[in-house]
């Protein structure tokens, strides 16, 4: 009679996979976690913290503002987030300094840093440092991550983002996520389509208005309009197009955003740049609202063309897509959001990244599919 022999090393690895991790999480200083309105990165970090704690891990969080997450330990940098100073270097430096102090004493297994300045400290610590590339990875943004080399392991938020700069020390792709259950599902829609975002040429609200008007649909616009370039773009390109069939309702808080998304016949997403990930797309799908978008950036990874939305290659094709969007089954959008872009899914995929690095088995993996990670490069 033979026995299955399990080595001590295999037992140790199995035990490590089952044991909780202690994770140092560093958030940008600009908005509280979760943010009340604008703050996409902060929303993702807050969701990830809660998802990891729900999976049994300990999270030591360094952030600003009131403590509103499930973090095991919370270390506040600023009592009031310095939102009005967004982009200034000093709040980033102060956050990095506080994170260095806290994490030196926290006995964490690894650090996940979502800030700009914080990853500069990675080379001096013994634990792995994971950095999620929330923004562009080309130009100076990409150069800063390139210069960090192997001192950090970089996670992409889409495969499209990763392809833009193969020189980074990529460890995998993990799509962003939302709390799908917090978004109301509606099968019966109202008589408008929606544009939701930041007023800029990259987001092209003016194109959304023109496409909706050509399709004979009323459009509602809601978005961030408090920085000088945004106000200038709005006044020059958007305001002249407004009218009875095109209405701007202001910046949408969490409640208004859900109301608008759930009632819309479609979300119009005429993106003009290689955006690494558009959160509003998965928010719309969670509400059962299809996405009509241009084929740029992460769009083909997020939207199932002909199922949860319609993807077109040219702006001239947008009106026809808007007209056809209401033919799609809203349950398909909700189902895809729950299956691929819910918080537990994101937390599980990040945990796989963490385990891989803590155990020293690093390889670049695609973690956006099912439980069997597909190795795509060594």
């Amino acid at each position: 009679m033979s026995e299955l022999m399990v080595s001590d090393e295999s037992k140790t690895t199995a035990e490590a996979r089952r044991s909780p991790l202690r994770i140092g999480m560093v958030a940008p200083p600009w908005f509280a976690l979760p943010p009340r309105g604008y703050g996409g990165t902060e929303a993702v970090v807050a969701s990830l913290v809660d998802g990891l704690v729900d999976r049994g891990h300990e999270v030591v969080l360094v952030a600003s503002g009131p403590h509103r997450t499930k973090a095991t330990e919370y270390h506040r940098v600023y009592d009031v987030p310095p939102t009005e100073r967004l982009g200034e270097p000093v709040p980033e430096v102060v956050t990095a300094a506080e994170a260095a102090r806290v994490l030196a004493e926290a006995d964490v297994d690894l650090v996940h840093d979502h800030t700009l300045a914080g990853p500069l400290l990675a080379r001096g610590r013994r634990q792995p440092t994971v950095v999620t590339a929330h923004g562009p990875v080309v130009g100076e943004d990409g150069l800063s991550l390139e210069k960090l080399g192997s001192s950090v392991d970089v996670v992409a938020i889409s495969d499209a983002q990763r392809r833009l700069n193969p020189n980074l020390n990529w460890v995998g792709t993990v799509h962003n996520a939302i709390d799908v259950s917090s978004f109301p599902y509606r099968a019966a829609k109202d008589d408008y389509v929606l544009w939701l975002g930041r007023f800029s040429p990259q987001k092209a609200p003016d194109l959304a208005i023109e496409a909706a008007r050509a399709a004979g649909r009323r459009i509602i616009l809601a978005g961030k309009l408090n920085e000088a370039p945004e106000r200038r773009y709005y006044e020059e390109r958007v305001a002249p197009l407004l009218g009875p069939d095109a209405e701007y309702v202001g910046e949408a808080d969490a409640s208004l955003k859900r109301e608008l998304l759930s009632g819309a016949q479609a979300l119009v997403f005429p993106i003009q740049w290689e955006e690494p990930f558009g959160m509003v797309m998965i928010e719309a799908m969670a509400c059962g609202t299809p996405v009509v978008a241009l084929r740029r950036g992460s769009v083909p990874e997020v939207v199932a063309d002909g199922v949860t939305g319609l993807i077109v290659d040219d702006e001239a094709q947008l009106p026809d897509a808007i007209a056809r969007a209401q033919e799609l089954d809203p349950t398909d959008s909700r189902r895809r959001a729950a299956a691929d872009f819910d918080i537990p899914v994101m937390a599980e995929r990040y945990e796989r990244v963490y385990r891989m690095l803590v155990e020293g088995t690093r390889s670049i993996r695609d973690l956006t599919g099912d439980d069997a990670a597909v190795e795509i490069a060594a």
Side-chain angles (χ1 to χ4, degrees), residues 147-218:
K147 295 297 185 183
L148 291 170
S150 61
S151 66
V152 297
D153 292 283
V154 186
V155 172
I157 55 177
S158 67
D159 290 337
Q161 180 192 46
R162 194 163 70 194
R163 287 192 295 269
L164 289 174
N165 191 343
N167 298 320
L168 302 189
N169 193 39
W170 297 114
V171 69
T173 294
V174 179
H175 287 149
N176 288 336
I178 56 173
D179 179 4
V180 172
S181 67
S182 75
F183 285 81
Y185 168 78
R186 273 185 58 181
K189 303 298 185 180
D190 294 328
D191 66 341
Y192 66 89
V193 296
L194 178 68
W195 176 91
L196 181 65
R198 173 173 50 85
F199 283 91
S200 73
Q202 295 175 327
K203 302 286 188 176
D206 51 327
L207 293 181
I209 295 173
E210 292 170 346
R213 186 165 284 154
R217 297 291 192 275
R218 183 167 75 96

Side-chain angles (χ1 to χ4, degrees), residues 31 43 48 58 124 196 212 225 236 238 307:
F31 301 93
L48 179 57
E58 297 180 10
L196 181 65
L225 186 57
E236 293 177 358
V238 179
V307 180

Side-chain angles (χ1 to χ4, degrees), residues 60-132:
V60 180
L61 175 62
V62 179
S64 292
H67 183 196
R68 298 199 297 254
T69 72
K70 297 178 181 179
T72 315
E73 295 180 23
Y74 182 62
H75 299 268
R76 184 180 290 107
V77 182
Y78 290 94
D79 291 336
V80 178
T83 305
E84 72 286 351
R85 300 172 63 190
L86 181 63
E88 292 184 17
V90 173
E92 278 275 355
V93 173
V94 170
T95 300
E98 176 65 3
R101 184 191 68 80
V102 168
L103 297 176
E105 304 171 356
D107 191 28
V108 296
D109 294 303
L110 82 161
V111 175
H112 192 168
D113 201 313
H114 302 265
T115 69
L116 178 63
L120 296 173
L121 304 173
R123 205 175 296 276
R125 65 171 63 104
R126 60 178 179 80
Q127 305 96 329
T129 297
V130 175
V131 174
T132 296

Side-chain angles (χ1 to χ4, degrees), residues 8-9 21 63 216 222 224 241 256 270 320 346 363 369 376:
D8 290 341
E9 182 179 355
L21 294 170
K224 180 173 173 290
L241 296 175
L256 179 58
D320 179 64
M346 177 178 67
S363 62
I376 62 172

Side-chain angles (χ1 to χ4, degrees), residues 44-372:
V44 170
V45 176
S47 296
L48 179 57
V49 168
D50 290 351
L52 291 168
V53 173
D54 287 344
R55 291 181 64 82
H57 302 294
E58 297 180 10
V59 178
V60 180
L61 175 62
V62 179
S64 292
H67 183 196
R68 298 199 297 254
T69 72
K70 297 178 181 179
T72 315
E73 295 180 23
Y74 182 62
H75 299 268
R76 184 180 290 107
V77 182
Y78 290 94
D79 291 336
V80 178
T83 305
E84 72 286 351
R85 300 172 63 190
L86 181 63
E88 292 184 17
V90 173
E92 278 275 355
V93 173
V94 170
T95 300
E98 176 65 3
R101 184 191 68 80
V102 168
L103 297 176
E105 304 171 356
D107 191 28
V108 296
D109 294 303
L110 82 161
V111 175
H112 192 168
D113 201 313
H114 302 265
T115 69
L116 178 63
L120 296 173
L121 304 173
R123 205 175 296 276
R125 65 171 63 104
R126 60 178 179 80
Q127 305 96 329
T129 297
V130 175
V131 174
T132 296
H134 290 283
V137 293
V138 295
E140 287 192 334
D141 300 276
L143 183 61
S144 66
L145 287 173
E146 287 183 36
K147 295 297 185 183
L148 291 170
S150 61
S151 66
V152 297
D153 292 283
V154 186
V155 172
I157 55 177
S158 67
D159 290 337
Q161 180 192 46
R162 194 163 70 194
R163 287 192 295 269
L164 289 174
N165 191 343
N167 298 320
L168 302 189
N169 193 39
W170 297 114
V171 69
T173 294
V174 179
H175 287 149
N176 288 336
I178 56 173
D179 179 4
V180 172
S181 67
S182 75
F183 285 81
Y185 168 78
R186 273 185 58 181
K189 303 298 185 180
D190 294 328
D191 66 341
Y192 66 89
V193 296
L194 178 68
W195 176 91
L196 181 65
R198 173 173 50 85
F199 283 91
S200 73
Q202 295 175 327
K203 302 286 188 176
D206 51 327
L207 293 181
I209 295 173
E210 292 170 346
R213 186 165 284 154
R217 297 291 192 275
R218 183 167 75 96
I219 186 169
I220 292 177
L221 300 96
K224 180 173 173 290
L225 186 57
N226 50 28
E227 296 182 38
E230 295 166 347
R231 291 193 296 269
R232 184 165 55 252
Y233 179 80
Y234 174 84
E235 292 298 334
E236 293 177 358
R237 300 287 296 275
V238 179
L241 296 175
L242 299 179
D245 62 347
E247 178 187 6
Y248 172 54
V249 297
E251 183 173 350
D253 60 14
S255 176
L256 179 58
K257 177 169 66 174
R258 284 161 171 78
E259 178 184 341
L260 292 172
L261 283 169
S262 61
Q265 293 178 5
L267 173 75
V268 185
F269 195 72
I271 196 72
Q272 297 292 298
W273 70 298
E274 304 305 315
E275 186 171 31
F277 198 91
M279 293 291 289
V280 69
M281 291 190 289
I282 60 176
E283 292 172 341
M285 291 192 302
C287 295
T289 299
V291 180
V292 174
L294 290 175
R295 194 183 307 275
R296 298 292 296 271
S298 66
V299 167
E301 295 175 49
V302 176
V303 178
D305 190 21
V307 180
T308 68
L310 295 167
I311 304 173
V312 298
D313 296 301
D314 187 87
E315 296 163 11
Q317 298 171 304
L318 286 171
D320 179 64
I322 290 172
R324 291 188 291 116
Q326 59 186 324
E327 301 171 4
L328 302 177
D329 187 345
T331 60
D332 288 334
S333 291
R334 178 73 171 198
R335 188 178 298 116
R336 176 164 170 80
D340 293 337
F341 303 109
D342 208 357
I343 292 173
V345 179
M346 177 178 67
E348 188 272 340
R349 289 169 180 167
Y350 269 113
E351 180 183 334
R352 283 154 62 187
V353 172
Y354 301 159
R355 297 282 188 198
M356 182 168 57
L357 297 175
V358 169
E359 295 166 13
T361 57
R362 184 192 187 285
S363 62
I364 300 179
R365 292 174 179 268
D366 175 9
L367 301 167
T368 60
D370 56 26
D371 287 340

